[in-house]
Amino acid sequence: MAVPKRKMSRSNTRHRRAQWKATRPDLVPITIDGSVYRVPRNLVRAYERGLLRPEG
């Protein structure tokens, strides 16, 4: 594991953290019972297996 040699200042720490941005999940269309829903790509298999119910 990387260990810093010197203490990083509060200002530098906060500037580094401020660069991180959350991204919206990409939605893909799937058909369930004849209706088309847009769901996150990583959950498509769960919807197809019936583990999750689409809203709307």
Side-chain angles (χ1 to χ4, degrees):
M1 186 171 129
V3 178
K5 285 194 169 192
R6 299 203 191 299
K7 181 177 180 178
M8 183 179 266
S9 70
R10 180 181 292 174
S11 176
N12 282 345
T13 300
R14 290 182 177 164
H15 276 88
R16 187 189 71 247
R17 288 180 180 166
Q19 297 304 312
W20 185 86
K21 302 285 188 299
T23 57
R24 297 175 69 187
D26 55 332
L27 302 178
V28 295
I30 62 169
T31 304
I32 301 174
D33 297 332
S35 299
V36 177
Y37 299 97
R38 292 175 56 99
V39 298
R41 184 180 302 276
N42 60 332
L43 297 177
V44 169
R45 293 176 71 186
Y47 280 102
E48 290 173 345
R49 292 177 181 172
L51 301 174
L52 295 174
R53 302 265 180 227
E55 297 176 8

